[in-house]
Amino acid sequence: MKRSLLAIAIATLASSSFAYNVQLDGGFSYFDHDNDFIDTDNQFDIKGTYYFNPVQSKTGPLNEAAFLGHNSNVYAKYTYNYMESKDYIDDFGNSYALAKDEREIHHVVGGLEYFYEQFYANAEVGFGRLKDESEYRFANAKTTVKDDYDVTTYRALVGFTPISNLLLAAGVDGYYGENDGDDDAAFAVTAKYVAPVGPSGQYVNLEANGTFGDTDHYEIGADYYLNKTFSIGTAYERQDEKDTDAVDYFTLRTKYFINDVAAVGAAIGFGDDVQAYNINATFRF
């Protein structure tokens, strides 16, 4: 009898699923520019998400549990970017100066993602502050020029899920810059599809995002889940701004869940005159 009760207890634990209400994501990116101007370019990202109902991770990839469960949530994100130039020679007409530039960007975003039956909505607003500082060193003098300004970003999407693992949505994605009144309200679209690809627990995730305004930007990506815990994927981005050459960017990425609570990931990107390296982690409770 004791052996039977123990076997039942083990089977029950093995079949039970982990549920969570909070997810924290963080990452660090290093950008290596192939030019004689940029010396340092680093970025730190952190995101916290609170789900109104517990997210179950019993079936499907652990990384897609909230999407497959249609779990409504609120979230907040913070991004910090720091870039510093190498020393360069600046021509002032009658004289030359040894110069150096620094730039800092702080960006905070708050948002809501809502599922109701087949209806979907996503709304977010963000506030950013950009600080530019240029130092010029002449033969007998030194001067510093500073420029600080704020940027407001916003995004609103509505859509539907014709089937539970497919999302289609469209709306607006925009920003307003305090510095010179620069603004853009772009048409935005997004699509996501997660589906099994075999009887052994393998899945595929397909994503597409695009914004079309003064600057057109779109991205397509795919992730292959070898099992619930491990994925490998790739993405392609293209940005096309009027009167400038289009920019292409490729990414290879992977993510591994150590257990139901924690995951680690990495990515490497290749673009026009830039390579990027990212490490990231996820924690759930």
Side-chain angles (χ1 to χ4, degrees):
M1 175 65 69
K2 290 183 179 179
R3 292 176 61 88
S4 299
L5 290 175
L6 178 61
I8 293 172
I10 293 174
T12 302
L13 289 173
S15 63
S16 64
S17 62
F18 172 73
Y20 61 95
N21 281 92
V22 177
Q23 176 167 315
L24 299 177
D25 300 283
F28 174 79
S29 299
Y30 165 73
F31 301 92
D32 183 12
H33 296 265
D34 186 17
N35 59 42
D36 296 326
F37 180 74
I38 299 176
D39 185 42
T40 302
D41 189 1
N42 300 322
Q43 182 167 303
F44 172 75
D45 302 272
I46 187 168
K47 178 182 179 181
T49 306
Y50 175 77
Y51 297 95
F52 301 133
N53 296 310
V55 180
Q56 302 288 337
S57 55
K58 186 175 181 179
T59 60
L62 295 179
N63 198 44
E64 306 291 351
F67 173 75
L68 292 174
H70 292 189
N71 290 85
S72 300
N73 61 85
V74 291
Y75 58 88
K77 297 185 290 185
Y78 170 70
T79 300
Y80 172 73
N81 177 265
Y82 175 76
M83 188 178 72
E84 183 179 46
S85 77
K86 302 174 183 178
D87 288 341
Y88 64 94
I89 303 298
D90 205 342
D91 184 0
F92 282 82
N94 297 320
S95 62
Y96 293 90
L98 187 63
K100 193 168 189 175
D101 295 331
E102 292 184 43
R103 185 193 69 185
E104 283 187 292
I105 299 177
H106 301 266
H107 191 214
V108 179
V109 172
L112 166 70
E113 193 174 32
Y114 182 71
F115 291 89
Y116 178 72
E117 296 183 349
Q118 290 183 292
F119 174 76
Y120 171 83
N122 175 216
E124 67 174 44
V125 61
F127 301 96
R129 184 162 184 83
L130 188 148
K131 299 181 179 180
D132 271 325
E133 182 175 310
S134 300
E135 182 182 87
Y136 302 96
R137 300 188 295 276
F138 300 92
N140 300 311
K142 182 175 72 172
T143 185
T144 301
V145 178
K146 297 182 179 181
D147 185 17
D148 299 351
Y149 61 93
D150 297 330
V151 174
T152 301
T153 61
Y154 55 91
R155 180 175 176 89
L157 298 173
V158 293
F160 69 108
T161 55
I163 53 178
S164 62
N165 54 347
L166 172 63
L167 170 65
L168 303 171
V172 62
D173 190 309
Y175 68 89
Y176 173 78
E178 175 194 55
N179 191 37
D180 54 5
D182 187 23
D183 67 277
D184 183 24
F187 174 66
V189 294
T190 187
K192 182 177 175 70
Y193 179 59
V194 179
V197 292
S200 57
Q202 298 174 339
Y203 280 73
V204 64
N205 167 54
L206 304 175
E207 298 179 352
N209 297 281
T211 56
F212 306 93
D214 293 341
T215 299
D216 295 338
H217 178 270
Y218 54 87
E219 175 185 2
I220 55 175
D223 299 284
Y224 180 69
Y225 292 92
L226 284 76
N227 50 48
K228 290 180 60 175
T229 63
F230 180 62
S231 68
I232 53 175
T234 185
Y236 167 71
E237 293 181 61
R238 184 178 177 87
Q239 181 171 298
D240 192 359
E241 190 172 353
K242 296 176 182 178
D243 302 324
T244 62
D245 295 333
V247 178
D248 298 288
Y249 192 78
F250 296 88
T251 301
L252 300 175
R253 60 198 184 193
T254 184
K255 194 163 189 176
Y256 172 67
F257 275 82
I258 303 168
N259 49 40
D260 287 341
V261 175
V264 292
I268 181 171
F270 309 90
D272 295 337
D273 301 323
V274 63
Q275 294 80 48
Y277 308 90
N278 170 269
I279 55 174
N280 57 80
T282 296
F283 182 73
R284 293 169 168 176
F285 58 93

